[in-house]
Amino acid sequence: MIISRTPLRMSFVGGGSDLPSFYRQHGGAVLSTAIDKYIYISVNKKFDGGIRVAYSKTEEVDHIDRIEHRLVRTTMEMLGIPGGVEITSTADIPSHGTGLGSSSAFTVGLINALHAYLGRHVSADQLGSLSCEIEIDRCGEPIGKQDQYASAFGGLSIIEFHPDDSVLVTPLVLQRQIREALEKNIVVFYTGIARSASGILKEQSSNVTESAAKQELLKRMVALVYQLRSELQDGKLDSMGEILDENWQLKKQLASGVTNTAIDDWYAKAKSNGALGGKLLGAGAGGFLMFYAPAERHDAIERALGLRRIHFGFESLGSRIIFYNPTDL
């Protein structure tokens, strides 16, 4: 039995610059953190040589080609595992359409667990790279690269995307009291709306490719990454809200499906009750709303929105093997 634990992530600024349509021309960057909500992947040897995959549904098949779950099938093919395994996934948070990078966290955790099953170690950088290869190159998902590296490395970091497709993860070094205050002042709500990011990201990628104006929006969002780093390192915490707000106003212009009237209404109510800024996590249209506000205003914001409040903490560690009891293969 092998079990991996992989954190979900919360992205603050720069999202969208991790799409190849932008970073291959201009370079990209995001500032994000892993959070203390996880996806767990367990892998166990199956005695009869078949394959069992349990997620939101359960598959029992006798050949790898018959696995419906594309990420599982593709990962097993890439690693040369023909069968004889049971793979089970569980999550702390609904794993579809929440804007927390759950699909990539699943892939990172699966790669980590299957490497351990084969008796191999895999580094955080390899986890990020391999999960991008599986999701983007092999499965054709129209997504960026930030989620994979955020889950693989963990921590509060700046993740940079270079035109040559290389990725650099740099931890954001802050004084402990600044980091703790930042974490304390963030409040997150679940909208109850699940959505697929694919359509929004396809439109965004197309818009950025065709429009110089959209490219300028993303360039400004990348600049906000470094501005926020500087402000936080100088101890100017309230700048977090202002920069989040500017980033959100820019993001809404990248594609038509990023927001809707309900989200705009919740956002306005949060600001009128003390939030300095915020954003919808992920590509848009649903999932989680995150705000930066003085901690004493969180209850008032919760009452005004009428949404379920979810308590997140920062997570310093990336994907880990938390249980390892190998058997002869």
Side-chain angles (χ1 to χ4, degrees):
M1 172 70 76
I2 313 293
I3 303 176
S4 68
R5 185 185 76 175
T6 304
L8 299 172
R9 69 95 185 98
M10 183 160 54
S11 178
F12 295 123
V13 290
S17 70
D18 60 326
L19 291 169
S21 58
F22 180 80
Y23 74 72
R24 284 178 180 163
Q25 292 187 62
H26 309 288
V30 300
L31 197 157
S32 69
T33 185
I35 60 175
D36 59 356
K37 296 293 183 287
Y38 309 94
I39 288 182
Y40 300 86
I41 305 290
S42 64
V43 177
N44 195 30
K45 184 177 181 180
K46 199 171 190 298
F47 77 97
D48 62 4
I51 303 167
R52 181 178 184 271
V53 185
Y55 45 107
S56 57
K57 63 182 288 185
T58 299
E59 298 186 51
E60 293 263 8
V61 298
D62 57 9
H63 195 277
I64 189 172
D65 291 341
R66 297 184 179 179
I67 299 174
E68 294 180 14
H69 197 301
R70 287 195 307 162
L71 295 175
V72 174
R73 183 178 68 248
T74 304
T75 304
M76 290 180 63
E77 288 172 347
M78 186 177 74
L79 297 183
I81 301 174
V85 294
E86 295 184 79
I87 299 171
T88 302
S89 73
T90 55
D92 291 334
I93 292 290
S95 58
H96 174 72
T98 56
L100 299 176
S102 57
S103 176
S104 296
F106 175 92
T107 308
V108 168
L110 178 64
I111 295 169
N112 205 4
L114 287 177
H115 270 86
Y117 177 75
L118 294 172
R120 304 173 187 165
H121 170 73
V122 59
S123 69
D125 192 60
Q126 289 172 313
L127 284 174
S129 176
L130 289 171
S131 58
C132 287
E133 178 182 343
I134 288 168
E135 289 192 275
I136 300 170
D137 300 334
R138 299 195 180 204
C139 290
E141 293 292 338
I143 60 175
K145 289 185 171 183
Q146 65 160 311
D147 297 352
Q148 299 88 342
Y149 282 86
S151 286
F153 279 83
L156 176 64
S157 304
I158 290 177
I159 309 175
E160 297 173 300
F161 313 95
H162 301 298
D164 64 358
D165 280 317
S166 63
V167 179
L168 178 64
V169 180
T170 305
L172 180 58
V173 179
L174 299 176
Q175 296 179 22
R176 188 177 68 178
Q177 60 269 33
I178 296 297
R179 179 187 176 93
E180 291 174 351
L182 175 63
E183 187 174 0
K184 181 181 178 183
N185 289 343
I186 289 172
V187 60
V188 182
F189 300 93
Y190 182 49
T191 65
I193 305 169
R195 86 289 176 269
S196 171
S198 295
I200 298 171
L201 291 173
K202 283 180 181 177
E203 181 188 342
Q204 180 177 313
S205 183
S206 176
N207 290 346
V208 169
T209 300
E210 298 170 2
S211 169
K214 302 293 186 187
Q215 293 173 23
E216 291 303 315
L217 293 177
L218 269 177
K219 288 180 184 179
R220 175 57 186 160
M221 291 167 69
V222 170
L224 288 176
V225 170
Y226 301 102
Q227 183 179 336
L228 180 55
R229 177 182 65 182
S230 178
E231 295 289 296
L232 291 176
Q233 289 178 335
D234 288 343
K236 300 176 182 177
L237 271 172
D238 286 351
S239 295
M240 176 75 168
E242 299 167 9
I243 291 173
L244 281 175
D245 186 62
E246 181 178 351
N247 185 85
W248 174 239
Q249 303 309 323
L250 294 169
K251 184 180 179 68
K252 289 192 296 182
Q253 301 176 56
L254 292 175
S256 60
V258 171
T259 190
N260 56 46
T261 54
I263 292 167
D264 289 341
D265 183 57
W266 285 321
Y267 193 89
K269 286 180 178 178
K271 288 202 71 178
S272 66
N273 282 273
L276 301 180
K279 60 170 292 190
L280 196 71
L281 297 174
F288 288 88
L289 272 167
M290 179 269 292
F291 299 100
Y292 179 88
E296 61 269 19
R297 300 303 305 163
H298 290 183
D299 290 344
I301 295 171
E302 181 177 5
R303 288 192 298 269
L305 270 58
L307 296 174
R308 181 183 175 189
R309 182 171 163 185
I310 308 294
H311 294 276
F312 291 162
F314 293 180
E315 169 58 80
S316 61
L317 299 177
S319 184
R320 290 291 184 272
I321 301 300
I322 60 171
F323 186 83
Y324 182 66
N325 184 23
T327 57
D328 293 335
L329 303 182

